[in-house]
Amino acid sequence: MYFPSKKDVWLTLVIWLSILVCLIPLFSKGNGSPITTVPIAGFLLWLWFSTGYKVEGDMLIVRSGPFRRSIPIKEIVKVKRSNSLLASYALSIKRLEIRFGKYGQVYVSPRDEHGFIKSLKKVKSTIQTDIG
């Protein structure tokens, strides 16, 4: 099952304004070089449209643009709410921190948090969570 990322309004504005600024050289006669700015815009679009989480069999696959990580659900110990600003596979500050293995941790922001956790618990019912 696929769970798209929740998207904060402020981050939406930052990303789309950045994309717009990157594309301005395509339409202006100024000194801007689309050779460097268009790939940046493409990268931001890739992040925007591909950030999400997939529960596939006994694996959780988290993805954001070219960044991808597979986590065995059986290794997940705990899922809790977090407002961490650490780099993550999330387009929202309202995130879930997933603890797995001995020291593993990843931050995600599924739009449907309850459905996401329910999907994980179908594979491993003993995952600890502070989310109702």
Side-chain angles (χ1 to χ4, degrees):
M1 178 170 265
Y2 181 76
F3 298 89
S5 179
K6 184 181 337 179
K7 297 172 180 170
D8 285 346
V9 172
W10 73 270
L11 193 55
T12 299
L13 292 172
V14 168
I15 288 178
W16 284 99
L17 286 174
S18 297
I19 291 168
L20 181 64
V21 167
C22 286
L23 295 179
I24 286 174
L26 287 176
F27 306 104
S28 69
K29 295 179 183 178
N31 287 338
S33 173
I35 292 172
T36 56
T37 61
V38 170
I40 294 169
F43 177 74
L44 292 171
L45 286 166
W46 192 5
L47 289 176
W48 183 259
F49 288 109
S50 72
T51 299
Y53 323 102
K54 188 181 223 178
V55 174
E56 194 170 89
D58 63 347
M59 297 295 286
L60 169 62
I61 301 162
V62 293
R63 184 168 183 197
S64 185
F67 310 106
R68 181 182 172 154
R69 184 164 194 178
S70 296
I71 301 164
I73 296 172
K74 293 186 189 293
E75 290 185 15
I76 296 175
V77 178
K78 187 174 189 176
V79 178
K80 68 177 190 171
R81 292 189 192 278
S82 174
N83 290 326
S84 173
L85 295 176
L86 292 175
S88 67
Y89 301 88
L91 296 175
S92 174
I93 294 299
K94 294 179 181 174
R95 302 171 177 187
L96 298 178
E97 176 184 321
I98 299 175
R99 297 251 177 190
F100 60 95
K102 193 170 182 179
Y103 301 111
Q105 136 184 348
V106 68
Y107 295 95
V108 297
S109 62
R111 193 178 305 148
D112 177 10
E113 290 180 353
H114 295 286
F116 177 75
I117 292 169
K118 187 176 179 182
S119 187
L120 294 175
K121 284 191 164 197
K122 281 183 184 175
V123 178
K124 183 181 179 189
S125 62
T126 59
I127 295 173
Q128 298 173 20
T129 182
D130 63 355
I131 300 158

